[in-house]
Amino acid sequence: KKFNKNTGGMLFHLPARVASQPTPPPTYPTDYLLTPALDRYIANLKDWAFGKYNYACVAGMTDQLHQCEGSIQHPKIISGHIPFFAIDIAKAIKLHTVLGEQIINEGNTTVYSSQIDAYVKPQRGDLAKLGLFLHALQDRYSHHRCSDTSYMVPTARGYEVHFDKKSCAQGIHMLSHAWEVGTNQSHTNLTQSVDRTVEPALAATYDQLLEYAVSHDVKIKENLDKQKIIAELTAILSIENPSERLNAMVLLFEKNGLMPLPEHGKN
């Protein structure tokens, strides 16, 4: 669960960079998968989703053999605080996460990343893993203000994560998401170097879907136009009226022979 502060789920949502100090990219937007030493969680989730390893690790923390850091005999902890408001009018959320294999669901039985096939059966575990990775990758862009300036450093007990008090606060977090739906995405409305997250996230998603298809021998439609696809999606996401936006997205899916959202569309 991505909001669980004890199992590493919160780091699915807000993956801090592994560095000794805030290390934002030289320019934004950027390709976070090109910096796996900094963005270890995203890189680790991709390896899991693409089938390189059958497990993912909390925060992407692995040793030289790519085993998840931490063990029952030698536990390691990620500790820190996640700010809720930019000013100290509410207590920060304490993060206390034990390193190891990533937990993907809790309940009567704990489900680990390596057990996802059985957990989602009869649905396909490989597609579930791909979906989790792509969601985390998209969140990396949605929350880039926070993740670009937050960092995680080694300690005697494991790691200490430092989340930026202003850029990780809920106000800018919610505003960033609000700007992604029903908002004009032009550079005259949103600043390219900071505020526009939809197009970079869509571009990154496109690239990963294409790479996944090639690596898994999935047939790819000929004459795909990446820029056209992103432009069409962005234009629809910019429609302010929710009903009009939904209807336009359903029509776009049907026009391209894709399945729209359940209970929507002609079929």
Side-chain angles (χ1 to χ4, degrees), residues 246-265:
L246 174 60
N247 291 335
M249 190 65 75
V250 170
L251 289 174
L252 177 64
F253 273 51
E254 290 184 328
K255 184 183 76 171
N256 288 279
L258 302 172
M259 184 182 296
L261 292 170
E263 306 300 324
H264 292 84

Side-chain angles (χ1 to χ4, degrees), residues 41-247:
Y41 205 12
I42 298 299
N44 185 253
L45 289 172
K46 178 177 178 177
D47 285 344
W48 176 55
F50 276 59
K52 187 174 182 179
Y53 302 100
N54 74 334
Y55 56 87
C57 304
V58 172
M61 294 301 183
T62 59
D63 59 22
Q64 292 181 341
L65 299 176
H66 204 273
Q67 301 296 312
C68 296
E69 284 196 40
S71 65
I72 296 175
Q73 295 79 14
H74 303 285
K76 289 187 177 183
I77 306 294
I78 294 178
S79 59
H81 292 85
I82 302 172
F84 195 78
F85 292 108
I87 55 177
D88 296 327
I89 60 175
K91 188 176 181 180
I93 300 170
K94 185 178 181 180
L95 185 74
H96 184 86
T97 295
V98 180
L99 286 179
E101 185 177 345
Q102 180 65 61
I103 293 173
I104 59 171
N105 199 69
E106 305 156 279
N108 295 329
T109 303
T110 299
V111 181
Y112 289 90
S113 58
S114 58
Q115 300 169 317
I116 194 168
D117 288 342
Y119 179 63
V120 302
K121 196 174 181 179
Q123 308 303 324
R124 290 175 55 182
D126 56 340
L127 295 183
K129 291 191 291 184
L130 180 62
L132 286 167
F133 159 59
L134 291 176
H135 191 147
L137 179 62
Q138 291 160 359
D139 271 346
R140 183 65 184 85
Y141 288 91
S142 292
H143 309 141
H144 81 92
R145 277 185 176 85
C146 172
S147 295
D148 286 352
T149 55
S150 300
Y151 60 102
M152 194 180 305
V153 294
T155 67
R157 299 182 61 206
Y159 294 87
E160 185 172 83
V161 61
H162 299 266
F163 287 105
D164 186 86
K165 288 186 177 181
K166 291 184 178 180
S167 59
C168 294
Q170 289 302 299
I172 192 61
H173 181 153
M174 290 184 286
L175 184 60
S176 295
H177 282 310
W179 281 337
E180 292 177 325
V181 181
T183 302
N184 182 349
Q185 296 295 312
S186 71
H187 70 275
T188 58
N189 192 47
L190 296 174
T191 305
Q192 172 71 31
S193 61
V194 180
D195 301 326
R196 292 171 68 182
T197 60
V198 170
E199 291 149 305
L202 288 175
T205 301
Y206 179 97
D207 291 342
Q208 294 309 306
L209 284 172
L210 192 62
E211 184 180 337
Y212 187 89
V214 171
S215 65
H216 287 72
D217 296 322
V218 176
K219 186 177 180 181
I220 302 170
K221 187 176 180 179
E222 295 181 0
N223 302 318
L224 289 175
D225 187 331
K226 176 181 176 180
Q227 297 308 317
K228 180 183 177 183
I229 292 171
I230 293 174
E232 287 181 326
L233 289 169
T234 302
I236 291 174
L237 289 170
S238 299
I239 298 172
E240 184 174 356
N241 183 280
S243 296
E244 292 178 10
R245 186 170 63 247
L246 174 60
N247 291 335

